[in-house]
């Protein structure tokens, strides 16, 4: 399928086939797409957790404000970002840049100091959300390409989710994705803003 068609066809699914569970091969295929998502410093500060058991689904249903798609999809994905990604992974990141790019000693020192710099909490959160949101979109397109149905969700009790997954301080749930097989039509798509509306200015276009 043409990528443009895939983009236009993708929907946030609310209608799932009952009883479908994502298998290990499909899960790995999904993550194979995500691996190519761009990220600042090429840090890739994300992990995806798939939850499928009855007990997990029941708990997540409550954590996700009783939204039915948690139950009907049968598979729940939590994208977890690392708010300390520069610091935690500076050795790996620096070593990769040095192995694959000709960094001058000044450039390498600059990269190291940027990776290891102390940052305020809001800044660290903003950086990881900005990065991991791109991985979420790759995941949604991957699901579409593999014939799956998915819905990104922000109706989530963040602190309860962090506690349930036993996440460390630096592990931030970025988004929850209900995942499954489509159970049929999603109805008419909600309207989209026009190109003119999302184009801030055409003044300086040649
Ligand atoms: C960050 C984000 C959070 C969302 N949260 C929810 C949610 O909690 N529950 C839900 O049913 N849909 C949620 N949606 C889906 C949106 O309602 C949907 O993307 C939007 O209406 C456009 O529809 P479409 O994705 O089918 O084109 C969310 C989408 C995004 C991108």
């Amino acid at each position: 399928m043409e990528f443009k068609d895939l983009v236009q066809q993708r929907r946030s699914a609310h209608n799932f086939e009952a009883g479908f569970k994502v298998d290990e091969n499909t899960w790995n295929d999904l993550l194979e797409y995500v691996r190519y998502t761009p990220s600042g410093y090429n840090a890739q500060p994300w992990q995806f957790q798939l939850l499928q058991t009855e007990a997990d689904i029941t708990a997540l249903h409550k954590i996700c404000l009783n939204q039915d798609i948690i139950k009907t999809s049968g598979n729940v994905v939590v994208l977890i970002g690392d708010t300390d990604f520069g610091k935690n992974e500076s050795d790996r990141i620096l070593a990769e840049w040095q192995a694959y790019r000709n960094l001058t000693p000044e450039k390498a020192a600059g990269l190291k100091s940027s990776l290891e710099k102390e940052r305020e909490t809001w800044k660290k959160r903003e950086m990881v959300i900005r990065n991991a949101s791109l991985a979420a979109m790759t995941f949604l397109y991957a699901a579409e390409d593999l014939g799956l149905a998915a819905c990104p969700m922000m109706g989530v009790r963040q602190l309860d989710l962090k506690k349930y997954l036993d996440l460390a301080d630096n592990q931030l749930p970025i988004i929850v994705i209900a995942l499954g097989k489509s159970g049929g039509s999603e109805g008419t798509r909600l309207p989209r803003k026009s190109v003119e509306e999302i184009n801030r200015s055409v003044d300086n276009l040649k």
Side-chain angles (χ1 to χ4, degrees):
M1 186 190 296
E2 290 286 328
F3 184 64
K4 189 178 180 190
D5 294 332
L6 185 109
V7 169
Q8 292 183 355
Q9 178 181 294
R10 185 215 55 82
R11 298 291 304 275
S12 291
H14 291 85
N15 186 4
F16 290 95
E17 184 182 297
F20 173 78
K21 295 290 176 191
V22 171
D23 63 27
E24 193 178 344
N25 281 345
T26 307
W27 179 242
N28 289 337
D29 288 347
L30 284 162
L31 298 187
E32 186 60 33
Y33 287 72
V34 172
R35 292 178 59 225
Y36 295 93
T37 303
S39 56
Y41 310 116
N42 193 39
Q44 308 155 67
W46 46 65
Q47 285 191 307
F48 288 73
Q49 183 168 354
L50 173 62
L51 299 111
Q52 300 178 301
T53 66
E54 200 60 42
D56 283 341
I57 298 279
T58 303
L60 288 163
H61 182 242
K62 194 166 168 216
I63 289 168
C64 297
L65 312 177
N66 301 316
Q67 295 193 65
D68 281 343
I69 50 175
I70 293 289
K71 285 194 169 159
T72 57
S73 63
N75 308 270
V76 181
V77 179
V78 183
L79 166 49
I80 300 157
D82 178 359
T83 57
D84 280 338
F85 67 87
K87 268 195 169 19
N88 282 352
E89 300 203 62
S90 64
D91 289 346
R92 172 190 62 83
I93 295 167
L94 190 60
E96 286 175 358
W97 278 93
Q98 284 177 313
Y100 287 83
R101 294 285 180 273
N102 247 340
L103 294 192
T104 60
E106 295 76 37
K107 278 239 159 90
L111 178 56
K112 186 173 166 59
S113 100
S114 177
L115 287 168
E116 295 180 355
K117 184 167 143 182
E118 285 297 336
R119 290 188 170 88
E120 291 174 73
T121 304
W122 72 266
K123 180 71 182 167
K124 294 199 296 184
R125 287 172 64 95
E126 185 241 24
M127 281 172 67
V128 76
I129 293 168
R130 199 190 292 181
N131 279 272
S133 294
L134 298 184
M137 197 65 239
T138 307
F139 187 95
L140 294 176
Y141 286 137
E144 186 68 34
D145 202 35
L146 294 175
L148 297 171
C151 184
M153 302 171 72
M154 64 179 173
V156 178
R157 290 194 179 92
Q158 281 286 103
L159 295 180
D160 291 348
L161 182 58
K162 242 185 117 121
K163 197 166 166 198
Y164 186 71
L165 297 179
D166 197 22
L167 298 182
D169 284 349
N170 61 307
Q171 291 179 306
L172 183 70
I174 305 291
I175 200 159
V176 170
I177 300 173
L179 180 68
K181 269 259 184 257
S182 174
S185 167
E186 291 296 333
T188 311
R189 192 195 273 286
L190 286 169
R192 289 309 213 248
K193 290 183 179 178
S194 66
V195 168
E196 289 73 25
E197 284 172 299
I198 64 171
N199 179 21
R200 182 152 182 261
S201 167
V202 291
D203 285 354
N204 42 22
L205 288 185
K206 297 284 176 276

